[in-house]
């Protein structure tokens, strides 16, 4: 397994043997790895140089393995940085070649296919880092990574560069446990978020220059995505986003600062929790905003379906809503959850 991050045989074999022993001398390991003493000594030296193994003081010399989870995290991060540098270098080389030829992209190059989870993550990061004005996104299940872990690159770009993020979430995304809290963290950092009942696909658009659309086949997310370069197709997906944005429901409270380039950012008064809003009502509102069914709400809260109906109608009356989903979103807008 370790060869994917540059740890080849026999280094992998020696590292895992040492990790299982935690600490050992070279003599202890000889019987585990089927190497000569000279080969084992050279291998341990390479592992020490890479930080996978530590050489302890004392005689005879003992070695200790760095915990595997730490090693994997560091080596994977290094490989992802290398892949990102390669992608950047390849793009720069392609630009130079196009300038030299005096031509733009060939039509066949306007849509690339990105393959592999590591390449997808690297491209996602690149699109955000290269954006100059804004990132637009469509978000819906399923997900390549844990949806509750959030987009760490977005947090950096919002804090460090003030990049604008506009994201439309499919209603089903809000129903994932812990997802709503992660979305609120993004909103509090500056993200402008809306929700729609039927987001057609996943997508991220970097300014008006690049768009990435993950590939879905048979309802499953593939380890591949389309990277769309400036073209009529890119214009079309940008227009699709704007059309969906106009129809979607804003879930931001007044964390956006109104400005000329954000005409829809308005100040909303935080009306606070009304006296009659119990803790269970707060949970109920979150489930309503996520589009949960009465049966799911009943199971989650330990209520009967009849009790759910009674509380839902009470909250609808409190906020003047005509639908269950509208009631949940209006309560979110008021800052009750």
């Amino acid at each position: 397994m370790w060869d994917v991050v540059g740890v080849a045989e026999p280094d992998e074999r020696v590292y895992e043997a040492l990790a299982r022993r935690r600490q050992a001398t070279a003599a202890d390991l000889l019987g585990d790895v089927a190497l000569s003493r000279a080969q084992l000594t050279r291998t341990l030296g390479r592992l020490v140089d890479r930080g996978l193994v530590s050489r302890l003081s004392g005689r005879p010399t003992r070695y200790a393995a760095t915990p595997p989870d730490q090693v994997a995290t560091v080596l994977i991060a290094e490989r992802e940085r290398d892949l990102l540098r390669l992608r950047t270098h390849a793009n720069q080389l392609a630009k130079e070649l196009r300038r030299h030829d005096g031509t733009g992209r060939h039509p066949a190059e306007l849509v690339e296919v990105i393959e592999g989870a590591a390449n997808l993550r690297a491209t996602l990061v690149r699109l955000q880092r290269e954006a100059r004005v804004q990132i637009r996104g469509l978000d819906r299940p399923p997900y390549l990574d844990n949806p509750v872990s959030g987009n760490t690159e977005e947090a950096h770009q919002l804090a460090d560069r003030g990049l604008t993020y506009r994201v439309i979430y499919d209603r089903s995304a809000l129903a994932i446990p812990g997802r709503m809290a992660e979305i609120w963290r993004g909103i509090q950092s500056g993200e402008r978020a809306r929700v729609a009942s039927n987001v057609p696909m996943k997508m991220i658009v970097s300014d008006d220059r690049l768009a990435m659309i993950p590939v879905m086949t048979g309802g499953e997310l593939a380890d591949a995505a389309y990277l769309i370069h400036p073209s009529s197709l890119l214009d079309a997906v940008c227009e699709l986003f704007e059309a969906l944005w106009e129809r979607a429901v804003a879930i931001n409270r007044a964390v956006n600062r109104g400005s000329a380039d954000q005409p829809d950012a308005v100040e909303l008064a935080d009306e606070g929790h009304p006296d009659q809003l119990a803790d269970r009502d707060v949970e109920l509102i979150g489930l309503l905003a996520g589009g949960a069914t009465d049966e799911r709400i009943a199971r989650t809260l330990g209520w009967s379906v009849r009790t759910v109906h009674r509380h839902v109608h009470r909250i609808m009356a409190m906020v003047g809503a005509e639908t269950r989903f509208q009631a949940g979103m209006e309560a979110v807008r008021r800052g009750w959850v």
Side-chain angles (χ1 to χ4, degrees), residues 76-88 91 114-130 144-145 153 204 210 212 225 227:
I76 289 170
E78 290 176 354
R79 181 54 56 92
E80 288 179 339
R81 286 194 294 269
D82 291 341
L83 291 170
L84 184 58
R85 284 196 292 268
L86 174 58
R87 169 64 65 182
T88 301
N91 287 338
I114 309 298
E115 296 183 276
N119 289 332
L120 293 178
R121 295 186 184 96
T123 303
L124 177 63
V125 170
R126 178 171 71 89
L127 261 60
Q128 295 176 86
R129 291 180 178 175
E130 291 183 357
L144 184 64
D145 295 315
E153 187 62 32
I204 179 173
L210 287 170
M212 186 171 77
L227 186 64

Side-chain angles (χ1 to χ4, degrees), residues 149-221:
S149 62
N151 180 355
T152 54
E153 187 62 32
E154 174 182 343
H156 294 320
Q157 296 300 327
L158 285 168
D160 299 340
R161 294 205 293 144
L163 200 64
T164 295
Y165 276 78
R166 290 194 289 151
V167 184
I168 304 172
Y169 295 92
D170 188 86
R171 188 166 65 179
S172 60
L174 277 59
I176 297 173
R179 181 66 165 145
M180 194 66 193
E182 189 276 322
I183 292 172
W184 275 120
R185 284 193 291 272
I187 291 172
Q188 290 161 359
S189 297
E191 177 187 298
R192 299 165 62 193
R194 295 189 177 187
V195 64
S197 59
N198 189 21
V199 174
M201 61 186 176
K202 301 167 74 70
M203 180 176 73
I204 179 173
V205 183
S206 177
D207 295 330
D208 293 319
R209 298 182 304 109
L210 287 170
M212 186 171 77
I213 301 176
V215 176
M216 293 281 293
T217 56
E220 298 293 329
L221 191 64

